[in-house]
Amino acid sequence: MRSAAISAIRAFASSSRISGSPVIARHLHASAGSKKIVGVFYKANEYAAMNPNFLGSAEGALGIREWLESQGHQYIVTDDKEGPNCELEKHIPDLHVLISTPFHPAYVTAERIKKAKNLQLLLTAGVGSDHIDLKAAAAAGLTVVEVTGSNVVSVAEDELMRILILVRNFLPGHHQVINGEWNVAGIAYRAYDLEGKTVGTVGAGRIGRLLLQRLKPFNCNLLYHDRLKMDPELENQTGAKFEEDLDSMLPKCDIVVINTPLTEKTRALFNKDRIAKMKKGVLIVNNARAAIMDTQAVVDACSSGRIGGYSGDVWHPQPAPKDHPWRYMPNQAMTPHISGTTIDAQLRYAAGVKDMLDRYFKGEQFPLQNYIVKEGKIASQYQ
Amino acid sequence: MRSAAISAIRAFASSSRISGSPVIARHLHASAGSKKIVGVFYKANEYAAMNPNFLGSAEGALGIREWLESQGHQYIVTDDKEGPNCELEKHIPDLHVLISTPFHPAYVTAERIKKAKNLQLLLTAGVGSDHIDLKAAAAAGLTVVEVTGSNVVSVAEDELMRILILVRNFLPGHHQVINGEWNVAGIAYRAYDLEGKTVGTVGAGRIGRLLLQRLKPFNCNLLYHDRLKMDPELENQTGAKFEEDLDSMLPKCDIVVINTPLTEKTRALFNKDRIAKMKKGVLIVNNARAAIMDTQAVVDACSSGRIGGYSGDVWHPQPAPKDHPWRYMPNQAMTPHISGTTIDAQLRYAAGVKDMLDRYFKGEQFPLQNYIVKEGKIASQYQ
C-alpha cells in the first residue's frame, strides 16, 4: 500500500496574466493529509452489475475508492451535477480535486471556480476539457489535466463506423427490418461504396491521424486540414493530402469528419454559410464537440438535403434534452456521447486518473502531454 | 451501334453426368436473331427518379433496354417472381436468358428449369447464385454466370461497418436518441474497442480477403478458415493466421464473419451445437447467405446471450416475411439484402451483364472467373 501523500509546494506562475485577469496563486500540493476528491460520472443503475470492468460509471467510480480511502482521502461520487441544489454544488466549497468526464460533463464555470476555495486539480477522465472554463481555471491558478490518448483509438474506430453507416444508408434499412418491411430500393437509391470517395478531416491530431490510418485500405481520396502539416512519413503512410485552407478543402469532400477541439475559434465554425460551401449531400461525422456546429444550421441543411447525413455522439448541452432538434432531423445517425467510453477506454482512463492522483499525492509532475492548464497557461490546442 | 448478334453453336458436354442425371445438351448460342431476355429486379417505385444511376432496380433495368431493343431483342423486366401466376412464370416457357440478382432472388428451381425449354443462360447481376438450382442447371446443360468481383468491395466494407456496429453497441444508442432518452450506461456497459479483439473469417475468398485488408490497421488478432491457405504474401500483408479446422478457430474468436458460399456443405453449418462451441457473447456478421445458419438456433442464442450480437443482410427466404424471427430477436443489427447493391456496385454489375450479353450474342466465351456452371460442371466454390 502506498504511504500517505507527500506534499510539495509549487507556486504557480502568479505573475503571468491570462485575459487580463491576474493569476491567483493556488498551491497544487499545498498540504499533506486528507484530500476531498469528487468524481462526477454517469449512473449505471441496472447496468452496473452487468460488467465487472464498467469502471467509468458512478457505481464503478474508476475502481479507485478502496485505494483512495485506504490513504485517508475522502471520495465523493455523484451523477447529480446541475442546478444550485445538486450534489456536486454542495461539495464545490471544500473539494480539492474534481474528476469529470466529457460523457456526463460537470460544467466547471467561472462561478464554480470562484466558490471552490480549496480546488487545486481538475482531472478529465477521458479527452476533451471544454466543459471547464479554461480561462477561469488558468486565471485561478488551477491545474487541468486529461488522460491524453486514453480513448483516441475508441473515437477513431467509432468515426469510421459512422462514416460507413452514413455512406451505406444503414439506418433506414434497419428500421425496415424492425417495422416488418422489405424495400431494398428505399435503401439502395442512396447507398454507396466508401471506395473512391473523398474524405476530409478537419483536424489531424491524435484521433484524426488514427482515422486516416484506418481509412487507408479503403482506397479513398484522403484530405486533412490542420494548423500544422504532418511529418512527411505519416503523410506518406496515410496518403492524406494537406489542405491549408479549410474553405478550399470542404467543397472537394464527399465526407467531412470533425476532429478539432472546441475553442473560441472553432465555436460554430460550421454555420449556415460554411455548410453552403460544401458539396450538396455531404456526409458529416462529428464526434468532436457539438458546439463546433451551428445547431439550427445543421437541422436546416439535413432537412433540405444539403447535408445528406449527419452522425456523431456529441451534443450541446449534455445530456441532450428531449426536445433537442438533432433527435428529430432527417438522415441523422446520432447516439448519446459514448464513443470515448468503451469498456477498453474506461480501463485506460481509470488507470490514467489513478496514476495522476498518485503523482498529485506525491507532489510529482504529470505526464507533459496530459496538461491542459498548467501554471496559468492553456495548452496550445485549446487556444 | 453494335450489329445484330452473331450466332455460334457450341454443344455442351452432353456426355458428362452430374448427380447421376444425364446432361441434356442445350446450345448456348444456338441461333441468331431475336432473343427473349427476362430480368428480375426489385422495384424502386418512388425512389426510381431519385438517382440517375439507380440501375439495379426494375425501373433502371441495368440501363440496357435501349441497347437490347435496338438489336431486335425482347427485354421483359419484372419484380413479380413468386407463385404460379407471377409475371416471371409466364415467360419461363420461352425465355432465352434470365437475369436475376441475390437482392430480390428469382428462385430458379429444377421445375422452372424443366419448363424453360429455350433457356440457355442464367445471368446473376451480382455475386451469389445459390437461388439457382445449380445441379439442375448443370444437368440441363445451362450456363450460369455471375459478375464476379462486381460487389466484393461493397460487401467487405459493409461487413466492417457491421462489426463496428456490434462491437460498439451502436443501435441501442441510436434508439435512445430517437426515443428522447439519454442513458450512456445502457450503451457503454457492453461497448468495446475493436482493437485487440480476435476476428475470424469463415471463408477467405475475394470478400474475406478484402475484409482482412481493411481490418489490418485496427490491430486485431486476425484468423481465417478456408479450404486453402492464402499465398504467403497476402498472409503477410494482412497478418491473418490460417486455421485449418473451423471448430478449433471458433472458440478463439470474439467476432466471427461468414464469407463462404451456400452449398450443401455449408447449409446450417452454424447449428445449435456449433454455436455452443463459440465464445459466450460472440458477435456474428453474416452477409453471405442466411441458410448457412440454423434460423432458430440463432434466435435462441441471441435470446440467451450466447450470441452477443448478430448482423447481416441475408435472409431465407427473401424478401423476409413479416414474421421472420430474426426481425424480433434481441441484439440484432439486420437490414434487408443491400450490401452488394450500392450505386457503385450497380454500375459495375450492370456493365458486367452488358458485356456478357454482348459476348453471348457474338458467341464469345465469358471471362473465366464468371462461370458458375459451364458445360455441366459446377464451379469449385459451389461444390
Side-chain angles (χ1 to χ4, degrees):
Chain A
M1 189 59 59
R2 286 183 187 80
S3 67
I6 300 160
S7 74
I9 298 170
R10 282 197 306 103
F12 276 89
S14 58
S15 61
S16 70
R17 280 169 179 271
I18 301 283
S19 309
S21 50
V23 171
I24 302 152
R26 296 210 197 182
H27 303 280
L28 180 54
H29 308 124
S31 59
S34 175
K35 300 287 182 188
K36 179 168 184 175
I37 296 155
V38 174
V40 178
F41 309 109
Y42 53 82
K43 262 280 187 62
N45 298 314
E46 69 270 32
Y47 300 103
M50 292 190 185
N51 194 326
N53 292 324
F54 196 0
L55 301 184
S57 61
E59 292 85 344
L62 304 183
I64 54 175
R65 178 175 297 285
E66 202 183 325
W67 174 70
L68 284 174
E69 291 178 352
S70 74
Q71 296 181 72
H73 302 297
Q74 191 185 358
Y75 187 34
I76 309 285
V77 169
T78 183
D79 75 323
D80 184 22
K81 64 185 182 70
E82 304 290 344
N85 301 314
C86 72
E87 181 70 16
L88 171 60
E89 203 67 39
K90 286 186 214 162
H91 302 287
I92 290 284
D94 65 342
L95 57 78
H96 297 92
V97 178
L98 177 61
I99 307 171
S100 60
T101 77
F103 318 109
H104 185 72
Y107 293 105
V108 183
T109 58
E111 194 187 355
R112 278 181 166 168
I113 287 173
K114 205 172 162 191
K115 276 192 208 164
K117 299 295 181 201
N118 289 345
L119 181 59
Q120 296 174 319
L121 177 61
L122 288 161
L123 241 163
T124 299
V127 177
S129 298
D130 50 89
H131 56 287
I132 297 166
D133 185 328
L134 297 178
K135 280 188 186 169
L142 300 180
T143 298
V144 181
V145 279
E146 299 181 346
V147 190
T148 301
S150 62
N151 53 19
V152 290
V153 164
S154 318
V155 177
E157 289 184 0
D158 186 281
E159 288 175 347
L160 189 40
M161 172 189 76
R162 288 173 200 267
I163 290 172
L164 288 164
I165 284 172
L166 294 179
V167 168
R168 288 315 171 98
N169 204 19
F170 169 80
L171 279 169
H174 181 67
H175 290 140
Q176 284 184 19
V177 167
I178 57 182
N179 294 329
E181 299 163 9
W182 183 282
N183 182 355
V184 171
I187 313 156
Y189 81 101
R190 58 196 301 264
Y192 292 89
D193 291 353
L194 179 52
E195 183 165 282
K197 306 303 178 290
T198 297
V199 186
T201 174
V202 181
R206 287 163 189 265
I207 295 171
R209 289 166 193 210
L210 290 171
L211 174 66
L212 291 171
Q213 287 169 338
R214 279 153 185 74
L215 279 167
K216 170 75 171 154
F218 282 86
N219 304 317
C220 298
N221 180 26
L222 299 178
L223 307 176
Y224 73 98
H225 167 74
D226 205 304
R227 292 171 301 156
L228 300 170
K229 212 165 165 340
M230 284 180 201
D231 71 67
E233 197 186 338
L234 197 60
E235 215 171 55
N236 279 340
Q237 192 200 323
T238 63
K241 289 193 197 85
F242 179 58
E243 293 274 345
E244 195 166 2
D245 180 37
L246 177 63
D247 289 324
S248 301
M249 178 178 86
L250 292 177
K252 299 175 189 167
C253 295
D254 301 300
I255 299 143
V256 171
V257 187
I258 317 290
N259 276 309
T260 187
L262 175 62
T263 66
E264 285 320 304
K265 282 180 200 149
T266 63
R267 189 174 296 277
L269 181 67
F270 287 82
N271 55 19
K272 189 182 167 183
D273 289 347
R274 186 156 275 110
I275 290 170
K277 288 176 188 163
M278 298 167 87
K279 262 194 190 176
K280 187 169 167 6
V282 64
L283 306 177
I284 299 179
V285 170
N286 177 13
N287 281 4
R289 285 297 177 264
I292 296 168
M293 317 304 291
D294 174 317
T295 304
Q296 190 56 42
V298 170
V299 175
D300 294 344
C302 281
S303 301
S304 73
R306 171 144 288 282
I307 293 177
Y310 183 89
S311 184
D313 68 343
V314 286
W315 304 72
H316 186 73
Q318 291 185 181
K322 268 190 200 312
D323 63 352
H324 195 295
W326 288 2
R327 291 183 184 268
Y328 310 106
M329 65 190 182
N331 299 318
Q332 59 84 355
M334 300 294 294
T335 65
H337 196 169
I338 52 164
S339 66
T341 185
T342 61
I343 295 293
D344 304 273
Q346 291 175 39
L347 290 167
R348 287 190 295 263
Y349 65 67
V353 165
K354 187 177 175 185
D355 171 65
M356 287 196 281
L357 285 172
D358 194 37
R359 290 168 187 255
Y360 165 66
F361 299 142
K362 291 177 176 164
E364 291 173 8
Q365 289 278 322
F366 301 127
L368 263 183
Q369 73 274 15
N370 289 10
Y371 282 101
I372 301 305
V373 175
K374 186 187 183 190
E375 298 173 7
K377 291 205 177 66
I378 299 174
S380 61
Q381 73 268 30
Y382 282 98
Q383 286 173 4
Chain B
M1 189 60 60
R2 284 183 187 81
S3 67
I6 300 158
S7 75
I9 299 171
R10 284 196 306 105
F12 277 88
S14 58
S15 62
S16 70
R17 280 168 180 270
I18 302 281
S19 309
S21 50
V23 171
I24 303 151
R26 297 210 196 181
H27 304 280
L28 180 55
H29 308 123
S31 59
S34 175
K35 300 288 183 187
K36 179 169 185 172
I37 296 155
V38 174
V40 178
F41 309 108
Y42 53 82
K43 262 280 188 63
N45 298 312
E46 69 270 31
Y47 300 103
M50 292 190 186
N51 193 326
N53 292 325
F54 197 1
L55 302 184
S57 62
E59 293 85 344
L62 304 183
I64 55 176
R65 178 175 297 285
E66 200 183 325
W67 174 69
L68 285 173
E69 290 178 352
S70 73
Q71 294 180 73
H73 302 298
Q74 192 184 356
Y75 187 34
I76 310 284
V77 170
T78 182
D79 75 325
D80 184 23
K81 65 186 183 67
E82 304 289 345
N85 301 315
C86 72
E87 182 70 16
L88 170 60
E89 204 66 39
K90 286 185 211 162
H91 302 286
I92 290 285
D94 65 343
L95 57 78
H96 298 93
V97 178
L98 176 61
I99 307 171
S100 60
T101 76
F103 318 109
H104 186 73
Y107 293 105
V108 183
T109 58
E111 194 188 354
R112 277 181 167 167
I113 288 173
K114 205 173 162 190
K115 276 192 207 163
K117 300 293 182 201
N118 289 345
L119 181 59
Q120 297 173 319
L121 177 62
L122 288 160
L123 240 163
T124 299
V127 176
S129 298
D130 50 90
H131 56 287
I132 298 167
D133 185 328
L134 297 176
K135 280 188 185 170
L142 301 180
T143 297
V144 181
V145 280
E146 299 182 348
V147 191
T148 300
S150 61
N151 53 19
V152 290
V153 164
S154 318
V155 177
E157 288 184 359
D158 188 281
E159 288 175 348
L160 189 39
M161 172 188 76
R162 288 173 200 268
I163 290 172
L164 287 165
I165 284 172
L166 294 179
V167 168
R168 288 315 171 98
N169 204 19
F170 169 79
L171 280 169
H174 181 67
H175 290 139
Q176 284 184 19
V177 166
I178 57 183
N179 294 329
E181 298 161 11
W182 183 282
N183 181 355
V184 171
I187 313 155
Y189 81 101
R190 58 195 302 263
Y192 291 89
D193 290 353
L194 179 51
E195 182 165 283
K197 306 302 178 293
T198 297
V199 186
T201 173
V202 181
R206 288 164 188 263
I207 295 171
R209 289 166 195 210
L210 290 171
L211 174 65
L212 291 172
Q213 288 168 339
R214 280 154 184 73
L215 279 168
K216 169 76 170 151
F218 282 86
N219 304 317
C220 299
N221 179 28
L222 299 178
L223 307 176
Y224 74 98
H225 167 74
D226 205 304
R227 293 171 301 157
L228 300 171
K229 211 165 165 338
M230 285 181 199
D231 71 65
E233 197 187 338
L234 197 59
E235 216 171 55
N236 279 340
Q237 193 200 322
T238 62
K241 290 193 197 85
F242 179 58
E243 294 274 345
E244 194 165 3
D245 180 37
L246 177 63
D247 289 323
S248 301
M249 178 178 85
L250 292 177
K252 300 176 189 166
C253 296
D254 301 300
I255 299 143
V256 171
V257 187
I258 317 290
N259 276 309
T260 186
L262 175 62
T263 67
E264 285 319 305
K265 282 179 201 150
T266 63
R267 188 174 296 276
L269 181 66
F270 287 82
N271 55 19
K272 189 182 167 185
D273 289 347
R274 187 156 274 109
I275 290 170
K277 287 176 189 163
M278 298 167 88
K279 261 193 192 178
K280 187 170 169 3
V282 66
L283 306 176
I284 299 179
V285 170
N286 177 13
N287 280 4
R289 285 299 176 262
I292 296 168
M293 317 305 291
D294 174 318
T295 303
Q296 190 57 42
V298 171
V299 175
D300 294 343
C302 281
S303 302
S304 73
R306 172 144 287 283
I307 294 178
Y310 183 89
S311 183
D313 69 342
V314 287
W315 304 72
H316 186 72
Q318 291 185 181
K322 269 191 201 311
D323 63 352
H324 195 295
W326 288 2
R327 291 183 184 269
Y328 310 106
M329 65 190 182
N331 298 319
Q332 58 85 357
M334 300 294 295
T335 65
H337 196 170
I338 52 164
S339 66
T341 184
T342 60
I343 295 294
D344 304 271
Q346 291 175 39
L347 290 166
R348 288 190 296 262
Y349 66 66
V353 166
K354 187 177 176 185
D355 170 66
M356 287 197 281
L357 285 171
D358 193 38
R359 289 167 187 255
Y360 165 67
F361 299 144
K362 290 176 175 165
E364 293 173 7
Q365 289 277 322
F366 301 127
L368 264 183
Q369 74 273 17
N370 290 9
Y371 282 101
I372 301 304
V373 175
K374 186 187 184 192
E375 298 174 9
K377 291 203 176 67
I378 299 175
S380 60
Q381 72 268 31
Y382 282 98
Q383 286 173 4

